[in-house]
Amino acid sequence: MTTASVDAVADQDRKGPGRPRSARADEAIIEAVLELLSAGQSADALSIEAVAATAGVGKATIYRRWPNKEALLIDAVTTMKGPIPEPAGVSVRDDLVTLLAGMRTKRMHRYGKVTACLLPELVKSEEMHKVYQAGVVEPRRDVMRGVLRRGVESGELRADLDVELTLLMLSGPAIVQNMLRWNPAVPDEGFAEHLVDAVLRGARA
């Protein structure tokens, strides 16, 4: 689709009070960001001009939706991760496996590549780091935190469990394997189950 045609769709969707903005234009812009980052473009070097050219829209279309590049990056990464898996609430182990398995899908392989390109920006910019934590990381962390706290209350887990450290022990290896395949000797099959079982050996009541 050409720049003119995508922008025309966006303009048409804006006509009239209360009309929603163009979902097609939004998707094209988000996909352009992910395409550029997946190809190795650093977040710092990524430009609105490049995103607009890749998406086939004008820069004005992007700026009508996002106030700056940082907001666009966060929205793109959040969209790519998809919805947070919903724990069934039957057992702590099963719920943790569900959440960790959701971090190891084919979608997450692309997410790992994109996140690697974001890391320099997250290290350099405290504001970007805060926004990334609040918009991308914390919502998922909070769901897992709830599972662990429920386990402590039900007696499945130790009463003196350090919930925040346990969160780190569970999510850290999954993130590192996704992004860097840090230890190729660890198989992908059954990764979530093996990791949860290893952590729960020390966390069970």
Side-chain angles (χ1 to χ4, degrees):
M1 182 177 290
T2 65
T3 300
S5 58
V6 174
D7 281 343
V9 171
D11 288 338
Q12 181 64 35
D13 280 354
R14 283 193 301 277
K15 290 179 180 178
R19 289 294 297 274
R21 71 191 196 186
S22 169
R24 188 182 303 176
D26 287 3
E27 290 169 6
I29 294 164
I30 291 292
E31 181 56 33
V33 173
L34 299 178
E35 180 182 329
L36 290 167
L37 292 176
S38 296
Q41 177 84 270
S42 71
D44 189 42
L46 188 73
S47 67
I48 295 297
E49 289 81 1
V51 173
T54 304
V57 302
K59 290 197 314 182
T61 299
I62 297 177
Y63 281 120
R64 277 192 292 264
R65 290 156 164 75
W66 292 276
N68 51 49
K69 183 176 76 173
E70 289 72 24
L72 174 56
L73 285 170
I74 294 301
D75 260 11
V77 174
T78 303
T79 300
M80 181 179 57
K81 289 200 77 169
I84 302 172
E86 187 173 343
V90 178
S91 77
V92 169
R93 180 190 183 274
D94 290 349
D95 286 350
L96 292 177
V97 168
T98 295
L99 292 171
L100 285 180
M103 300 171 64
R104 299 284 294 167
T105 62
K106 290 182 178 178
R107 179 201 294 265
M108 290 300 104
H109 177 69
R110 188 187 192 194
Y111 170 73
K113 293 172 66 176
V114 169
T115 305
C117 294
L118 282 177
L119 281 178
E121 191 73 12
L122 296 177
V123 171
K124 288 189 303 181
S125 170
E126 183 177 348
E127 184 60 30
M128 182 71 172
H129 183 267
K130 287 180 180 178
V131 172
Y132 180 81
Q133 285 281 319
V136 179
V137 179
E138 187 59 25
R140 285 168 161 74
R141 184 187 289 145
D142 200 46
V143 173
M144 189 177 292
R145 184 182 288 122
V147 171
L148 293 173
R149 287 175 175 166
R150 192 189 77 226
V152 172
E153 292 170 1
S154 68
E156 289 182 73
L157 303 179
R158 296 168 47 164
D160 63 346
L161 183 73
D162 187 328
V163 171
E164 297 305 317
L165 183 59
T166 305
L167 282 174
L168 184 59
M169 293 167 66
L170 287 165
S171 58
I175 293 170
V176 171
Q177 285 294 91
N178 274 353
M179 290 175 54
L180 304 174
R181 193 157 175 73
W182 192 261
N183 188 348
V186 175
D188 288 335
E189 186 175 355
F191 177 85
E193 291 85 348
H194 293 153
L195 177 57
V196 168
D197 288 340
V199 173
L200 287 184
R201 289 188 190 104
R204 288 192 188 280

